[in-house]
Amino acid sequence: MSGVVIVGAGLAAVRTAEQLRRNGYRDPITIVGAEAHAPYDRPPLSKEMLRGEVETVALKPAAFYEDNGITLRLGCPARTVDAAAHTVTLADGEVLGYDQLVIATGLVPQRIPSFGDLDGIFVLRSLDDCVALRHRAAGARRAVVIGAGFIGCEVSASLRNSGVEVVLVEPQATPLASVLGEQVGALITRLHQDEGVDVRTGVRVDSVSGGECIESVTLSDGSVIEADLVVVGIGSRPAADWLAGSDVAVADGVVCDAVGRTSAGDVWAIGDVASWRDETGAQIRVEHWSNVAEQARTLVSAMLGSAAPAQAGVPYFWSDQYDVKIQCLGRPRTGDTVHLVEDDGRRFLAYYERDGVLVGVVGAGIPEKVRSARAKIAAGAAISEVLQPV
């Protein structure tokens, strides 16, 4: 028996392998990873690992894989898949047969090609990226962080905590505007400004300059920022190029049904790379750590022919910035009406209303109040009911 081959060696791969063994699957499991590292946790890379507070982010001890009969094939990415032959070919030419294939390759960070090869310009996606960036930051005076999404905001916070001057550049009106809206984005701006970050919004980076190393960044408003470190955090795209020419359909990620099944027989996809069909029939790709465990339970149940487990129902994600945990429940959109119900100048709580219904809650530094809103979001509570004074 060829067993299950999982291409990708991150959280989604580990959760899938765990669920397979937990559900009684006894045939071989092989995890294929492009990096030489055993599967590790990515969220700490922009936080504790970057700040030098932890030295390991391994998801599981080495004994876990041996004890569970899971083979790690690391340092060699998959190059092609032949769904008809049930084989995956790796970069070194090795061909792996499979009974079931799970695609869990995650994301590839976007880069800015015009920046060239100047030393001192980084993206942050991998453990090696983090180690290199941390080493450079130790001797840096001023950093320019391009992009104020979650990665850009977290990196800015970590660099400030490490004593580096930071200029955060974002073409939108506020950080996280496309995710949380401008009203809450303004509160995120305030948080960073209070910590000494120079937040530049509504502008883009036109060019970078330097000899062998980065020396300055020129913005679209003509301003020039001296910098010896640049971090590009302008988003990522699904790591699905290797599937070109295969029977696996790709459109902003690997296209799946509601349980992770792709267009090719015996091929599944999970995690950031996977676009699952939701209850409305829309294709949705969710790039949040907390989503993976639920997907793994659903996918493995479908693969093994078991009844699908109950869905969690209310999406959740978080971001640690400075001493504040920013949490989001539900599905807020930029067009929602935002009710700021608590704000002490640093911590805040905001309710998102759509068509008179509570659809999301975002809180900073108030975890218990965010958690208490889960049932109300799940029940579709009227905003008038939620806003009533106790």
Side-chain angles (χ1 to χ4, degrees):
M1 294 286 288
S2 297
V4 173
V5 172
I6 305 170
V7 177
L11 178 68
V14 171
R15 292 289 180 264
T16 301
E18 275 186 311
Q19 284 297 318
L20 283 165
R21 292 302 188 224
R22 194 170 291 162
N23 283 266
Y25 185 79
R26 293 291 174 259
D27 289 336
I29 298 174
T30 301
I31 294 177
V32 175
E35 298 179 55
H37 307 289
Y40 59 85
D41 203 13
R42 292 188 189 276
L45 298 184
S46 57
K47 300 183 279 288
E48 299 93 338
M49 189 73 178
L50 181 56
R51 296 192 298 266
E53 298 169 1
V54 298
E55 290 301 326
T56 179
V57 287
L59 283 165
K60 296 288 183 181
F64 166 81
Y65 304 101
E66 182 177 351
D67 293 346
N68 286 278
I70 299 168
T71 300
L72 297 181
R73 181 67 168 85
L74 303 174
C76 192
R79 287 293 183 234
T80 61
V81 57
D82 186 334
H86 278 55
T87 60
V88 173
T89 301
L90 307 187
D92 64 359
E94 182 181 0
V95 178
L96 302 179
Y98 65 82
D99 297 317
Q100 303 283 340
L101 173 67
V102 180
I103 299 167
T105 43
L107 302 173
V108 177
Q110 300 278 17
R111 299 175 184 268
I112 302 177
S114 62
F115 282 9
D117 297 323
L118 277 178
D119 185 39
I121 299 178
F122 295 83
V123 296
L124 179 57
R125 175 65 185 172
S126 70
L127 179 57
D128 290 342
D129 292 336
C130 180
V131 171
L133 175 56
R134 186 174 72 181
H135 177 74
R136 185 57 176 256
R141 183 181 65 86
R142 177 181 293 165
V144 173
V145 179
I146 304 172
F150 286 111
I151 290 294
C153 286
E154 290 174 359
V155 167
S156 295
S158 292
L159 291 175
R160 282 300 298 136
N161 284 337
S162 300
V164 180
E165 295 179 23
V166 176
V167 181
L168 178 58
V169 179
E170 170 55 53
Q172 298 186 83
T174 70
L176 297 169
S178 63
V179 182
L180 304 179
E182 293 183 10
Q183 186 174 345
V184 170
L187 303 179
I188 306 298
T189 301
R190 181 185 67 190
L191 174 65
H192 285 274
Q193 289 175 332
D194 287 348
E195 294 289 342
V197 174
D198 181 357
V199 182
R200 310 277 187 99
T201 57
V203 292
R204 299 178 181 274
V205 172
D206 266 0
S207 62
V208 296
S209 62
E212 293 183 356
C213 300
I214 182 71
E215 296 176 6
S216 66
V217 174
T218 301
L219 304 184
S220 57
D221 62 3
S223 58
V224 179
I225 305 168
E226 292 184 2
D228 46 12
L229 173 62
V230 170
V231 183
V232 179
I234 57 173
S236 303
R237 59 182 179 83
D241 292 351
W242 66 285
L243 298 170
S246 73
D247 293 331
V248 180
V250 175
D252 185 32
V254 179
V255 180
C256 303
D257 64 10
V259 296
R261 186 182 291 109
T262 75
S263 57
D266 300 324
V267 180
W268 312 74
I270 185 173
D272 296 346
V273 74
S275 174
W276 283 33
R277 189 169 63 242
D278 71 5
E279 63 275 7
T280 70
Q283 294 295 137
I284 302 293
R285 201 166 50 78
V286 180
E287 298 180 10
H288 297 305
W289 188 92
S290 56
N291 180 64
V292 170
E294 180 182 338
Q295 280 194 334
R297 289 191 294 269
T298 300
L299 184 153
V300 168
S301 293
M303 181 187 292
L304 301 182
S306 305
Q311 301 295 301
V314 180
Y316 169 75
F317 63 87
W318 76 94
S319 174
D320 294 318
Q321 299 176 33
Y322 309 105
D323 60 342
V324 176
K325 182 178 287 293
I326 300 167
Q327 298 169 290
C328 177
L329 276 173
R331 294 185 173 90
R333 298 177 187 168
T334 55
D336 294 339
T337 299
V338 177
H339 302 270
L340 186 60
V341 296
E342 189 168 331
D343 180 16
D344 69 359
R346 189 172 182 86
R347 303 184 308 162
F348 63 82
L349 183 69
Y351 293 162
Y352 288 71
E353 171 197 350
R354 191 181 315 139
D355 300 326
V357 174
L358 178 69
V359 294
V361 173
V362 174
I366 314 178
E368 67 283 353
K369 293 186 178 180
V370 175
R371 289 194 297 267
S372 68
R374 182 184 294 274
K376 296 173 183 177
I377 297 172
I383 194 69
S384 57
E385 172 191 335
V386 175
L387 293 177
Q388 284 182 350
V390 178

